[in-house]
Amino acid sequence: TEGFEILGTQFTLQGRCSVEVKSRMSAAWGKFYSLWPLLGKRGGNLSKKLRLFDTCVTQTALWCSESWLLTQTEKRLLKTTQNSMLRRIAGPRRRPEEPWVDWIKRSTRKAVARAKEAGIRLWQIAYLRSKWCWAGHELRMGPERIARRAVEWRDSRWQKTEYSLPPALRIRRPGRKRWFRWEDELQKYAEHCGWDAW
């Protein structure tokens, strides 16, 4: 269940990619604290500090993220981790007598706004963008490549064909639980854009 590290990623056969996401967030915090003398320097150029954050910490956090299949909880973990880091770099200090929750909301709002002004990637969006780019790269591969064959194995087109068959002829799954595929997010985006398939 703990898995093992291969090519910088934590590989496990259980829990989808939850172990890898936690490992990536831990590595991102490690990189953040190693750069804290530069990122936390008061009076420094904020846009340069944010660019340093984006170049080093974001790259560490999103290493190999194009292969992830995240749950809503894991997506929220990406967002809250980045917001926590941005608050420490670009957030205003807490006012005297200001309630902690109000300060968190105000500080997060201002820090994220400053990050957007500096052109910093938001982790949730960057994850989906890298996944989309990787999907395009895979479909440009030759049909004999293993990566492309893995993507097209029982994909959404196959599923539509399978569901058009009578129930007695369909391939049975071992359980009734909904199985999410790597391409599901891409297919939802394609449907949102009015396309037949991603």
Side-chain angles (χ1 to χ4, degrees):
T1 57
E2 294 177 1
F4 58 92
E5 191 170 329
I6 178 170
L7 298 177
T9 64
Q10 196 70 19
F11 181 77
T12 178
L13 293 176
Q14 296 184 1
R16 299 207 304 195
C17 57
S18 58
V19 174
E20 166 61 8
V21 172
K22 290 174 184 174
S23 174
R24 284 289 99 210
M25 294 303 101
S26 177
W29 275 115
K31 180 64 72 174
F32 180 83
Y33 285 123
S34 71
L35 295 171
W36 181 245
L38 296 172
L39 296 175
K41 188 176 181 181
R42 290 289 173 179
N45 189 317
L46 181 59
S47 62
K48 288 183 179 179
K49 290 193 291 185
L50 288 171
R51 284 200 298 271
L52 176 65
F53 170 82
D54 190 53
T55 303
C56 298
V57 181
T58 298
Q59 288 300 110
T60 302
L62 299 181
W63 173 257
C64 289
S65 61
E66 53 271 1
S67 63
W68 292 351
L69 178 57
L70 299 184
T71 63
Q72 291 300 322
T73 303
E74 290 160 353
K75 289 178 184 176
R76 197 161 42 248
L77 176 62
L78 287 182
K79 184 176 181 180
T80 55
T81 303
Q82 186 183 28
N83 286 348
S84 178
M85 293 177 178
L86 289 176
R87 274 196 307 270
R88 295 176 189 217
I89 299 171
R93 294 188 176 182
R94 187 177 176 184
R95 296 169 184 159
E97 306 299 327
E98 182 179 17
W100 186 80
V101 174
D102 294 344
W103 170 73
I104 287 289
K105 290 179 181 178
R106 180 175 67 88
S107 182
T108 301
R109 191 167 49 250
K110 288 195 174 182
V112 170
R114 289 175 180 171
K116 287 180 179 177
E117 288 172 8
I120 303 307
R121 294 171 291 172
L122 299 180
W123 291 359
Q124 278 187 324
I125 298 171
Y127 147 69
L128 292 171
R129 186 170 291 157
S130 66
K131 187 170 184 174
W132 181 260
C133 291
W134 176 249
H137 176 67
E138 284 186 328
L139 290 184
R140 287 188 292 273
M141 293 178 180
E144 73 286 348
R145 297 282 296 274
I146 292 177
R148 178 165 177 176
R149 288 163 58 193
V151 168
E152 293 180 339
W153 185 74
R154 295 191 180 182
D155 60 358
S156 54
R157 289 182 180 175
W158 175 87
Q159 186 183 36
K160 286 180 183 178
T161 305
E162 188 71 15
Y163 284 176
S164 65
L165 297 172
L169 298 178
R170 294 180 193 166
I171 294 177
R172 299 284 181 182
R173 282 183 166 173
R176 296 184 178 183
K177 186 178 178 181
R178 171 77 170 95
W179 286 13
F180 289 98
R181 297 184 305 267
W182 176 83
E183 67 159 2
D184 281 350
E185 289 174 320
L186 305 177
Q187 187 61 30
K188 285 180 182 177
Y189 178 71
E191 292 171 0
H192 173 73
C193 294
W195 307 334
D196 292 334
W198 62 272

